[in-house]
């Protein structure tokens, strides 16, 4: 017959007393009995990795002991209980399970009446492991050993520094003694030197003359060096380059001012007028006249701020990065230039409205406009790209080939020239189509030839109009003869 396992009952009672007084977690839990599956409320106390339970809180002797080493704890959902077997309590219960780490041992099922209390018990049982304490102790021991090693190293370093300080104190005392000896020697030599100077006044005068001549020769040499550089081609080129940059900043300031007048004195007031009850102009006409003028103004305000920041760093003037930022955004000029003739035509049509013409003259009478008309302000952006090309051309003429900005400025000039040529071609094509359409409208029955985009406008005048009319009449009356003549 197998003997029962013996254990130290006295020590177990002592631990149960500690658990009941100083346990990590204490409280009432419902425990499921293994025999009849009934739930019995017991008082549980957790001490280290041992879980005790008592009949009640005043019990001095535990009813049972569970060793939690190597076990796991997890929450489980509430079991479904039939209505007949449901307990009389209406409170919601929260269940958790203690699973022991070996076969043959049934898990311990427990429950509480509060969710927070259930979570606290599960967390406390999770941490009740002696092996975890051993691991934590090992980690702390390694940290302690590491700190001890650091402290020993600091002690050695402190001793070395203390030795060095003592050596330096000895060296300072030795230097002080040498200084005292030198001062005494100097005091003994001073009377002899003063007597020698009094005895040789000519030598004193000669020394003064030599000092004056050395200073004059040094100043003369530096004056010649500075004058030679001022007269050098490089200095002249830099002066012209700086002057070009200053003129560019002044021109950009003036251009931004004209754009702000165009937007603030004409565009925005006309937008407000178009939103009135009796608008003298429609929003579509305002958009056709001004198009993206406001965007162009914002772009050049940013560019102008960058130029002023560069001038603040004079004499170091770096402009290539500003053009690198500006170039990708200059494509908005294509749309403005392409729309320019059409915008002037829309403006001329709108001026036939007396209310609009009166309102426009009122805007043009503003002191900021200085007597200039709206057409003048709409023309300013047309010349900005060519102005940039001319400025870069002049700037490159006075920029050395080995200059850090040479390649960047040449690239910016080439891109601006490509953009200018593209804009010129588009303007020429648009203007050619517009004039051909104007001539086609003058013909009563129309002219299909002028609707062909490949037709090129040559010259405007009375002779051309008669020729086009005769050409159309011959095409209608005698197409074969016209083909033969051609």
């Amino acid at each position: 017959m197998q003997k029962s396992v013996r254990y130290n009952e006295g020590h177990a009672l002592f631990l149960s007393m500690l658990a009941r007084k100083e346990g990590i977690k204490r409280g009432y839990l419902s425990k499921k009995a293994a025999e009849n599956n009934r739930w019995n409320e017991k008082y549980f106390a957790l001490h280290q990795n041992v879980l005790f339970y008592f009949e009640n809180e005043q019990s001095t002797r535990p009813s049972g002991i569970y060793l939690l080493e190597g076990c796991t704890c997890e929450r489980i959902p509430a079991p479904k209980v039939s209505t007949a077997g449901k307990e009389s309590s209406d409170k919601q219960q929260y269940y958790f399970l203690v699973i022991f780490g070996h076969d043959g041992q049934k898990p311990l099922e427990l429950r509480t009446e509060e969710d927070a209390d259930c979570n606290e018990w599960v967390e406390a049982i999770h941490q009740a492991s002696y092996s975890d304490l051993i691991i934590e102790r090992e980690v702390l021991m390694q940290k302690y050993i590491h700190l001890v090693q650091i402290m020993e190293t600091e002690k050695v370093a402190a001793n070395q520094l203390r030795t060095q300080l003592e050596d330096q104190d000895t060296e300072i005392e030795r230097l002080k003694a040498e200084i005292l000896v030198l001062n005494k020697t100097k005091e003994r030599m001073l009377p002899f030197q003063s007597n020698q100077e009094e005895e040789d006044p000519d030598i004193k005068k000669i020394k003064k003359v030599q000092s004056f001549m050395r200073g004059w020769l040094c100043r003369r040499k530096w004056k010649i060096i500075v004058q030679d550089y001022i007269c050098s081609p490089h200095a002249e080129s830099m002066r012209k380059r700086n002057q070009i940059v200053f003129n560019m900043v002044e021109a950009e300031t003036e251009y931004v001012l004209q754009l702000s007048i165009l937007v603030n004195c004409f565009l925005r007031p006309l937008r407000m007028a178009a939103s009135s009850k009796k608008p003298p102009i429609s929003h579509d006409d305002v958009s056709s006249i001004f198009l993206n003028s406001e965007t162009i103004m914002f772009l050049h305000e940013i560019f102008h701020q960058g130029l002023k920041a560069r001038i603040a760093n004079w004499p170091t003037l770096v402009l290539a990065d500003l053009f690198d930022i500006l170039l990708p955004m200059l494509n908005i000029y294509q749309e403005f230039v392409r729309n320019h003739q059409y915008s002037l035509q829309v403006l001329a049509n709108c001026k036939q409205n007396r209310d609009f013409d009166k309102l426009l003259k009122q805007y043009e009478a503003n002191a900021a406009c200085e007597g200039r008309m709206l057409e003048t302000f709409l023309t300013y952006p047309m010349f900005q790209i060519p102005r940039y090309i001319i400025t870069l051309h002049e700037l490159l003429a006075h920029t050395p080939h080995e200059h850090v900005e040479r390649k960047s400025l040449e690239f910016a000039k080439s891109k601006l020239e490509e953009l200018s040529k593209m804009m010129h071609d588009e303007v020429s094509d648009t203007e050619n189509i517009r004039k051909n359409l104007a001539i086609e409208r003058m013909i009563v029955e129309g002219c299909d030839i002028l609707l062909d985009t490949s037709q090129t406008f040559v010259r405007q005048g009375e002779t051309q109009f008669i020729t086009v009319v005769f050409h159309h009449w011959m095409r209608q009356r005698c197409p074969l003869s016209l083909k033969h003549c051609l």
Side-chain angles (χ1 to χ4, degrees), residues 81-91:
V81 183
S82 62
T83 308
K86 188 174 181 180
E87 298 181 359
S88 60
S89 177
D90 295 333
K91 294 183 180 180

Side-chain angles (χ1 to χ4, degrees), residues 207-321:
K207 288 182 178 179
K208 287 184 179 180
V209 172
Q210 288 177 344
S211 177
F212 173 77
M213 289 299 298
R214 282 195 298 269
W216 180 81
L217 289 173
C218 184
R219 289 191 296 272
R220 183 171 178 272
K221 182 179 180 180
W222 277 109
K223 184 177 180 181
I224 293 172
I225 292 173
V226 173
Q227 288 179 348
D228 290 343
Y229 177 75
I230 292 174
C231 299
S232 65
H234 182 270
E236 183 66 22
S237 177
M238 289 297 102
R239 283 195 294 271
K240 292 181 179 179
R241 188 176 189 274
N242 291 337
Q243 187 61 42
I244 291 170
V245 174
F246 296 150
N247 294 338
M248 178 182 176
V249 175
E250 293 177 0
E252 192 69 20
T253 304
E254 181 66 20
Y255 181 55
V256 171
L257 177 62
Q258 306 308 329
L259 289 177
S260 64
I261 294 173
L262 175 65
V263 171
N264 295 324
C265 297
F266 292 100
L267 172 58
R268 292 173 181 170
L270 286 176
R271 280 180 181 170
M272 296 180 63
S275 302
S276 61
K277 291 184 178 180
K278 296 181 179 180
I281 185 174
S282 65
H283 283 286
D284 292 339
D285 289 339
V286 173
S287 300
S288 299
I289 293 172
F290 296 95
L291 201 61
N292 52 5
S293 304
E294 196 168 12
T295 306
I296 294 175
M297 182 191 73
F298 292 148
L299 172 63
H300 283 277
E301 282 179 348
I302 297 172
F303 184 66
H304 183 238
Q305 292 295 330
L307 285 176
K308 290 198 297 185
R310 296 302 189 274
I311 293 298
N313 293 329
W314 189 87
T316 303
L317 292 177
V318 180
L319 303 176
D321 57 338

Side-chain angles (χ1 to χ4, degrees), residues 262 289-290 336 340 344 347 374-381:
L262 175 65
I289 293 172
F290 296 95
F336 184 88
H340 182 65
L344 296 180
L347 179 60
L374 176 57
E375 289 87 344
T376 305
F377 291 98
L378 289 174
T379 309
Y380 284 129

